[in-house]
Amino acid sequence: MKKLLVAIAAGALIVPAAAMADSEFSIVLQGGASHYNQSLSGSDTGAAYGARLGILPTPMLGLELGYMGTQNNIQASLDQGREASTLKTNEGYADVRLNILPGSVTPYVFGGYGLTWVNGAAASGVPNSSTSTLPFGAGLEANVGAFKIGGRFQYNYLFSSINTGNTAVTVNKGGNSDFWGATVDLGASFR
């Protein structure tokens, strides 16, 4: 009876340890480009930068916590009552990640929820504000030993308006004032 209990206890410890053998924790730094859609058409393609933590308890499914910052110049437009400025955003987000083909080179998709702070463009008529965001997209990641290298496209759907111009023109939520970021990723993986 004691041998049976010891065998069951050992099995109860080995199964979770074996399941955790496929788990992964990663830290990734990002850098690339960002751009706003139609309503902020006077904005230039700018810089995107960030970092994210990934927790993949299985090779297919995981969670990510991240930060994405952007800086985009807005051109002056006299007919819209807009002076030149730099629009800055800071977004914190959490998403669910699905690895499509787990392996040494892994394509993946993700989607989640974020909160974006917009500031720095008061001269262009864009007030400091915050809005809920739906970040989603896809990426490709390669593991080279303990290092990660890859690329990612993240689209950010904004749930509320961004006001542009001193004439108080309001942009409809989503679609027109959304922004995207395309980044190159470099990080480390802990298994």
Side-chain angles (χ1 to χ4, degrees):
M1 184 67 162
K2 284 185 180 181
K3 290 182 182 180
L4 180 61
L5 289 175
V6 169
I8 291 172
L13 294 174
I14 291 172
V15 170
M20 292 302 287
D22 287 339
S23 66
E24 175 184 354
F25 174 75
S26 62
I27 301 171
V28 176
L29 298 176
Q30 304 170 264
S34 68
H35 191 75
Y36 280 84
N37 287 356
Q38 302 162 1
S39 66
L40 291 173
S41 58
S43 67
D44 296 333
T45 299
Y49 46 88
R52 69 177 184 274
L53 302 174
I55 302 168
L56 293 152
T58 72
M60 295 289 291
L61 192 63
L63 298 173
E64 295 178 325
L65 296 174
Y67 162 79
M68 178 183 248
T70 66
Q71 290 191 14
N72 300 75
N73 291 331
I74 298 178
Q75 302 165 4
S77 174
L78 297 178
D79 61 335
Q80 293 182 1
R82 187 172 68 202
E83 293 180 29
S85 66
T86 300
L87 177 66
K88 299 174 186 170
T89 62
N90 293 289
E91 175 185 24
Y93 64 89
D95 63 57
V96 175
R97 173 177 162 160
L98 176 65
N99 290 337
I100 299 170
L101 298 170
S104 59
V105 177
T106 305
Y108 64 90
V109 294
F110 64 92
Y113 172 80
L115 187 58
T116 300
W117 293 268
V118 178
N119 63 18
S124 297
V126 180
N128 295 344
S129 64
S130 64
T131 182
S132 293
T133 310
L134 178 67
F136 61 92
L140 182 67
E141 195 169 71
N143 290 322
V144 181
F147 295 100
K148 287 189 163 301
I149 188 166
R152 179 176 177 117
F153 178 82
Q154 180 170 324
Y155 192 88
N156 299 284
Y157 177 89
L158 303 179
F159 282 103
S160 60
S161 302
I162 293 179
N163 297 320
T164 59
N166 292 330
T167 56
V169 175
T170 299
V171 177
N172 292 332
K173 67 180 182 176
N176 289 327
S177 57
D178 302 341
F179 68 98
W180 55 261
T183 58
V184 173
D185 303 343
L186 181 62
S189 172
F190 306 95
R191 295 180 183 261

